[in-house]
Amino acid sequence: MTHAAGVEGPREGLVGPSTVIVMVGAPGAGKGTQAQRLAESLDLITISTGDLFRAALRDGTALGAEVRKYVEKGILVPDPVTLRVVEERLAQPDAAHGVVLDGFPRTRVQAEALDLMLAHEQSRVSAALYIEVEAPELVRRLAGRRVCSGTGQHVFHLDSRPPRTPGICDIDGTPLVQRNDDKPETIKARLARQLPPMYEVVDHYQGTGVLHAVRGDRAMDEITEELLRLAQRAPRKA
Ligand SMILES: [Zn+2]
């Protein structure tokens, strides 16, 4: 395993984030929301690769142009590029106090590369917080989304954001529909692709001793409290 491509070893004087919390969870597990809540409570910043890619597309850097090649074709940004994007973000001054990573690492290879990257900067993953939700429950949650058939812009959810009148958009009164992407069969196929690499990430952090699993089939607030407790107990960089 080499250092992230395109970066020649540790940069002088660079000090990595003092707290690095990695959020692990399937789509529908509530990971993004919990990442935001943790970051707010602990005064850390969240780093989501989705946001980083969108930012990279906006700025005119060489790295942004590299990211654009993949995003515009709708293909997965390859690991070396993703790692460079993350590494650049971690090196920003506002990340020095600590970060919550959301959506990265997505694979074991990325998790190993992150460990190496942080080690170069005298830092390490403080805690990997895994929000565990059974696959059938994920399917149920993800299949609950309904969108307005008028604009497609108004989004509801049978559990978390139900329309006032079932099946009808609150905003413009047009019928709500289920997108093909949100049909159970499509979701199951997507999860079948996404879960195995996520389990490898879970295994990786189990192996490095920083994994904490929490049950995700509870109220959001309850999960937040437990995650906060775990994050605060996590060792920090000396
Ligand atoms: Zn609408």
Side-chain angles (χ1 to χ4, degrees), residues 148 154 169 172 174:
C148 171
H154 310 137
C169 178
D172 52 30
T174 53

